[in-house]
Amino acid sequence: MTTVLIVDDQPMQRFGFRMLLESQDDLSVAGEASGGSEAVREVDRLHPDIVLMDIRMPGLDGIEATRRIVAAGARTRVLILTTFDLDEYAYAGLRAGASGFLIKDAQPEELLAGIRAVASGDAVVAPSLTRRLLDTYAGHLPTGRPDDDTLTPDPRLTSLTEREREILTVVGQGWTNLEIAARFHLAESTVKTHVGRILAKTGARDRVQAVILAYDCRLVTPN
């Protein structure tokens, strides 16, 4: 059973999510919070598997709440809830440690699939959307290429093999395991093993954080 904490300042929004989640045999609502400060307290009290975190809330917003939850070392994974076209803060939410993001007006089956994907460890809910969001809001990242002699190599990459570096690059481009397997002529299970090693060696919490790492290290650059 995957437990979910719903965080949104709109009661009707919380009600809608609760109704959807409670209709599923494998998901349960651990609790609700109407703001960021309450969310941090509830995570510490309830230890949910997943937090559905709104960004725009009065008081402590979802980004800072996410940062505090992650900094506390909680096993809880945070999914940012965003309207995307209006919410330029989703990228900052990912940088704060969120495991992915969901679109508020997504179809119910998409939302449920996203929650289950993150709960099972596949943090990239929508790879193409992750790439689009990062491309839009990554303009402040350092310029240059990783082979630029004036740049100091990122120490997080030094322990990676050449194949792991290649796979990190395409993970950063939003490729799924199946697509990576086809490109490199590998079994999908082998790709999962490589991704797991990349996360362990770089200290990335999950796959979305690996995408951000690929941008930080300039293995991938915004379009």
Side-chain angles (χ1 to χ4, degrees), residues 28-46:
S28 68
V29 177
E32 298 181 12
S34 59
S37 296
E38 185 182 4
V40 174
R41 292 194 299 269
E42 289 297 273
V43 167
D44 184 59
R45 183 175 73 90
L46 299 171

Side-chain angles (χ1 to χ4, degrees), residues 122-154:
D122 188 1
V124 178
V125 176
S128 61
L129 196 54
T130 300
R131 178 67 192 270
R132 179 181 167 193
L133 184 68
L134 288 170
D135 279 346
T136 303
Y137 300 114
H140 68 280
L141 290 173
T143 58
R145 298 296 305 170
D147 55 356
D148 189 334
D149 292 338
T150 65
L151 300 174
T152 301
D154 194 293

Side-chain angles (χ1 to χ4, degrees), residues 48-183:
D49 298 309
I50 303 291
V51 175
L52 294 182
M53 181 75 76
D54 190 19
I55 290 182
R56 295 180 174 182
M57 297 179 290
L60 191 71
D61 65 22
I63 294 173
E64 182 57 30
T66 297
R67 186 176 291 112
R68 294 185 186 184
I69 290 169
V70 172
R75 64 176 178 81
T76 301
R77 293 178 179 268
V78 178
L79 286 178
I80 294 293
L81 295 168
T82 176
T83 53
F84 184 68
D85 288 333
L86 299 176
D87 206 336
E88 66 273 21
Y89 302 111
Y91 176 74
L94 295 179
R95 301 232 10 134
S99 294
F101 59 92
L102 297 171
I103 307 302
K104 275 192 173 182
D105 59 358
Q107 294 297 313
E109 58 272 17
E110 294 174 331
L111 190 150
L112 293 171
I115 293 173
R116 291 183 177 113
V118 171
S120 68
D122 188 1
V124 178
V125 176
S128 61
L129 196 54
T130 300
R131 178 67 192 270
R132 179 181 167 193
L133 184 68
L134 288 170
D135 279 346
T136 303
Y137 300 114
H140 68 280
L141 290 173
T143 58
R145 298 296 305 170
D147 55 356
D148 189 334
D149 292 338
T150 65
L151 300 174
T152 301
D154 194 293
R156 291 172 292 181
L157 300 182
T158 56
S159 63
L160 298 183
T161 65
E162 185 62 31
R163 174 49 55 87
E164 288 167 350
R165 190 182 177 103
E166 290 173 342
I167 290 178
L168 176 58
T169 299
V170 293
V171 166
Q173 294 170 349
W175 289 49
T176 65
N177 285 348
L178 188 61
E179 291 169 335
I180 296 170
R183 170 166 177 168

